[in-house]
């Protein structure tokens, strides 16, 4: 498949230095971002969701938190472009938890059409080279009536108040 220079740079970054830094800092980052994880787990429980996709799941804290909160038979899938982060996410699976982790680009990953009733992301959707293509791909993976719950940084001036 043809990929753009930006896509290749993002893949290299998250499979290299940035991916290693997130795996090394996993415990600290998870503590820091736990309030955001809770917001997404609350949203999943409120539906309640049965099939959840966590976009740019990283080392999987949010995916696992939602799977624990919903319990079986709910199924949570994390997708991330970073092989080391997906490997770390797989190692954290709890007993009886229904999670799967895919190493792939959310912009192009061939999800089963209409598979998910909730799509979430904790800081994983700001890196797309082609956001329109990415969200069109995620839309295909969503069931009719599915929800999209995203937490994303904005520009530095909009994040400071
Ligand atoms: C800021 S980190 C957040 C990770 C995780 N959601 C968390 O909260 O710990 C951004 C994540 O997005 C992933 N990512 C970047 N571009 C991606 C893409 N096109 N498809 C899937 N994942 C991507 C990175 O590999 C990284 O794990």
């Amino acid at each position: 498949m043809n990929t753009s220079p930006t896509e290749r740079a993002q893949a290299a970054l998250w499979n290299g230095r940035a991916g290693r830094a997130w795996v090394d800092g996993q415990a600290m980052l998870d503590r820091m971002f736990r309030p955001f994880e809770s917001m997404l787990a609350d949203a999943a429980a409120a539906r309640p969701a049965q099939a959840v996709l966590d976009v740019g799941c990283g080392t999987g804290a949010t995916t696992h938190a939602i799977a624990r909160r919903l319990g079986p038979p709910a199924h949570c899938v994390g997708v991330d472009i970073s092989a080391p982060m997906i490997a770390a996410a797989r190692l954290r699976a709890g007993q009886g938890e229904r999670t799967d982790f895919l190493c792939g680009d959310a912009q192009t990953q061939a999800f089963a059409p209409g598979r998910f009733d909730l799509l979430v992301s904790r800081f994983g959707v700001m890196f797309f080279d082609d956001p329109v293509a990415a969200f069109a791909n995620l839309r295909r993976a969503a069931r009719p009536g599915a929800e999209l719950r995203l937490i994303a940084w904005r520009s530095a001036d909009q994040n400071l108040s």
Side-chain angles (χ1 to χ4, degrees):
M1 180 181 294
N2 289 332
T3 53
S4 71
T6 309
E7 282 167 351
R8 287 195 294 276
Q10 282 294 319
L13 180 71
W14 292 107
N15 280 284
R17 146 175 90 70
R20 280 194 302 277
W22 276 72
V23 170
D24 292 346
Q26 176 180 291
M28 182 269 294
L29 290 162
D30 285 350
R31 271 200 307 279
M32 194 162 78
F33 294 145
R34 190 149 298 137
F36 303 109
E37 169 191 304
S38 300
M39 289 167 75
L40 294 173
D42 289 348
R47 257 185 93 74
Q50 287 304 301
V52 181
L53 178 64
D54 183 7
V55 183
C57 64
T59 58
T62 305
T63 328
H64 290 299
I66 294 175
R68 279 195 306 274
R69 178 77 74 88
L70 295 174
H75 184 216
C76 299
V77 176
V79 63
D80 201 284
I81 205 167
S82 166
M85 292 171 85
I86 284 290
R90 287 184 179 135
L91 286 177
R92 305 170 80 185
Q95 223 181 1
E97 188 188 288
R98 291 196 69 215
T99 50
D100 277 307
F101 290 94
L102 308 172
C103 187
D105 186 334
Q107 299 173 104
T108 52
Q109 179 75 28
F111 301 108
R115 177 169 174 195
F116 300 104
D117 62 354
L118 177 65
L119 293 87
V120 300
S121 184
R122 187 180 77 173
F123 307 128
V125 294
M126 300 91 77
F127 309 97
F128 297 141
D129 182 41
D130 185 344
V132 173
F135 283 101
N137 192 42
L138 296 174
R139 174 70 186 83
R140 280 188 289 276
R143 244 172 238 173
E147 273 182 29
L148 180 66
R149 297 281 186 134
L150 307 175
I151 298 174
W153 290 302
R154 300 179 71 166
S155 58
D157 58 329
Q158 290 174 311
N159 278 322
L160 298 173
S161 59

